[in-house]
């Protein structure tokens, strides 16, 4: 009989790995499926748990599942920062000082407390915040219209707008909320947890953001310059940390990243930095009745029409560099719809690309490109800059409708 691996093995999964058989309750399996980090499917001897494109950590009660990224947790956070446009956020392996196999939650929390220690060394940043108040005496600026409409000529109380000098600013709300979100994650060391609680106490006057509500906007200025990197980490944290009530009464906590989506967003951001004519996720009708649609990952429009199309694939090609038929079919369809003579496939692995595929019976050729996601930010930007020259503009074979 096949031995049943211990549940603790779920804390040591890698991208693309399958663990079977696993002892789970139906409620636990439903919670894990809802988290999207892994897929749990019932089988003869137990549950088959597969890690696909998601990496990170989720916890439901005493059940913890971790999926380690192939490229390492620190590199994933670098890519997230680049994809989110956090140019002030530099991630140094030596400064973070975590083990190579550390999970994303541990690395992010460690980075956060290190940056918070530096950014908040001089104390929390205060700022003015305008508030509408009703007061018995005049303070601030009188709102004449509200006074007339609400008080009907009465002289008291007064409707005023007051500029408060306070810690409860958009910046501090973001930082405190991120610290509290990180505290909910499993696997934190005692030292990191203590540092996160210290940040919470320092900013206790700042209102905690409600989960699911859009984060407040803040403007980079000279006054908040010391917080820029920390605010980048706070935004990154709040974007990817989730607290969910799923199957059962237990709450699921998690920090998860969809690597396929990350690769797509990263390519869109870096390509647009080089050539602003590129944009992401444009939905177009495929047939005349507009019952079918296409949604290429990347399209180029320089104002004269569609001049380029590309699709990102978070896949590793085989040793021969062979591309799947389905990937080719997809881009051929994009070329036919947009009237282009060449389309592009961008894969998330380094190496030599295969020759261009010239598709029989069409005017389309499909070029394959390979991006090394293990490269440092400067090298990665150089790869994409060279790619941008190759990608466009492209010859148009026919007028392409919108």
């Amino acid at each position: 009989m096949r031995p049943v691996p211990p549940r603790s093995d779920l804390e040591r999964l890698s991208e693309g790995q399958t663990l079977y058989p696993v002892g789970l309750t139906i409620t636990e399996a439903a919670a894990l499926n809802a988290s999207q980090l892994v897929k749990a499917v019932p089988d003869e001897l137990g549950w088959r748990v597969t890690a696909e494109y998601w990496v990170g950590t989720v916890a439901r009660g005493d059940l913890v599942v971790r999926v380690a990224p192939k490229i390492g947790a620190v590199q994933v956070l670098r890519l997230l920062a680049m994809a989110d446009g956090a140019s002030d956020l530099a991630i140094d392996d030596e400064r973070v000082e975590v083990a190579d196999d550390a999970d994303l939650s541990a690395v992010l929390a460690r980075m956060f407390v290190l940056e918070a220690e530096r950014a908040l060394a001089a104390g929390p940043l205060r700022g003015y915040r305008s508030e509408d108040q009703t007061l018995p005496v005049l303070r601030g600026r009188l709102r004449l219209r509200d006074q007339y409409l609400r008080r009907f000529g009465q002289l008291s109380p007064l409707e005023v707008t007051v500029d408060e000098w306070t810690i409860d600013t958009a910046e501090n709300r973001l930082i405190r909320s991120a610290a509290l979100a990180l505290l909910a994650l499993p696997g934190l060391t005692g030292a990191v947890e203590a540092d996160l609680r210290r940040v919470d106490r320092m900013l206790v006057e700042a209102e905690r953001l409600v989960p699911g509500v859009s984060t407040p906007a803040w403007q980079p200025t000279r006054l908040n310059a010391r917080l820029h990197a920390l605010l980048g980490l706070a935004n990154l944290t709040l974007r990817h940390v989730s607290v969910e009530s799923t199957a059962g009464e237990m709450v699921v906590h998690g920090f998860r990243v969809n690597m396929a989506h990350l690769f797509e967003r990263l390519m869109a951001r870096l390509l647009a930095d080089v050539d602003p004519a590129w944009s992401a996720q444009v939905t177009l009708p495929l047939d005349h009745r507009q019952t079918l649609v296409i949604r290429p990952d990347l399209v180029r429009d320089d104002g004269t029409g569609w001049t380029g199309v590309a699709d990102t694939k978070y896949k590793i090609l085989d040793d021969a560099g062979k591309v799947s038929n389905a990937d080719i079919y997809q881009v051929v369809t994009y070329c036919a719809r947009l009237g282009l003579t060449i389309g592009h496939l961008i894969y998330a692995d380094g190496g030599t690309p295969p020759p261009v595929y010239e598709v029989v019976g069409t005017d389309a050729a499909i070029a394959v490109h390979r991006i090394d996601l293990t490269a440092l930010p400067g090298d990665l930007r150089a790869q994409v800059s060279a790619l941008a020259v190759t990608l466009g503009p492209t010859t148009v074979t026919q007028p392409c409708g919108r």
Side-chain angles (χ1 to χ4, degrees), residues 102-324:
D103 65 73
L104 281 169
S105 303
V107 175
L108 179 62
R110 171 70 175 159
M111 286 170 50
F112 188 90
V113 299
L114 286 173
E115 193 55 48
E117 182 180 4
R118 183 197 66 79
L120 300 176
L125 184 71
R126 292 178 178 268
Y128 284 105
R129 192 185 75 244
S130 295
E131 289 185 352
D132 291 342
Q133 298 180 1
T134 301
L135 300 176
V137 295
L138 180 61
R139 179 174 173 234
R141 302 181 299 279
L142 180 65
R143 304 197 314 276
L144 291 173
R145 178 177 174 79
D146 289 342
Q147 184 71 26
Y148 175 77
L149 293 176
R150 296 182 184 182
R151 304 302 167 194
F152 307 105
Q154 294 180 5
L155 298 180
S156 181
L158 298 173
E159 300 297 329
V160 298
T161 297
V162 179
D163 291 331
E164 294 283 1
W165 181 247
T166 177
I167 286 178
D168 189 20
T169 62
E171 294 94 332
N172 290 331
R173 288 181 181 185
L174 280 170
I175 294 168
R176 183 183 180 221
S177 299
L180 291 171
L182 288 169
L183 275 168
L185 298 179
L188 302 181
T189 64
V192 167
E193 187 173 335
D195 287 337
L196 289 171
R197 295 195 185 283
R198 190 176 300 115
V199 172
D200 177 38
R201 290 194 299 271
M202 184 182 295
L203 303 177
V204 70
E205 295 177 30
E207 183 180 348
R208 182 178 185 177
L209 301 178
V210 178
V213 175
S214 58
T215 56
W218 62 277
Q219 295 296 324
T221 66
R222 177 181 56 83
L223 297 177
N224 62 18
R226 63 185 169 103
L227 300 180
H228 288 180
L230 182 58
L231 288 166
L233 278 173
N235 275 317
L236 190 152
T237 298
L238 294 174
R239 188 173 290 114
H240 296 283
V241 169
S242 62
V243 180
E244 305 166 3
S245 295
T246 58
E249 298 179 355
M250 298 293 289
V251 174
V252 176
H253 299 270
F255 178 85
R256 304 158 301 170
V257 177
N258 184 315
M259 294 299 292
H261 291 170
L262 170 58
F263 182 51
E264 178 187 314
R265 290 196 302 113
L266 179 67
M267 288 297 100
R269 167 77 67 171
L270 297 184
L271 270 177
D273 286 347
V274 179
D275 181 357
W278 283 97
S279 58
Q281 294 290 338
V282 175
T283 301
L284 299 166
L286 181 59
D287 65 322
H288 291 296
R289 290 189 298 167
Q290 301 190 10
T291 56
L292 304 173
V293 297
I294 58 170
R295 197 179 187 191
D297 290 341
L298 298 163
V299 290
R300 187 178 189 276
D301 182 0
D302 60 5
T304 63
W306 306 116
T307 55
V309 65
D311 222 49
T312 60
K313 299 295 179 184
Y314 185 70
K315 297 178 180 180
I316 295 178
L317 301 181
D318 61 22
D319 294 338
K322 187 177 185 301
V323 177
S324 75

Side-chain angles (χ1 to χ4, degrees), residues 78 91-98:
R78 280 199 191 98
I91 300 173
D92 186 348
D93 300 62
E94 295 182 0
R95 183 166 180 251
V96 176
E97 292 180 343
V98 294

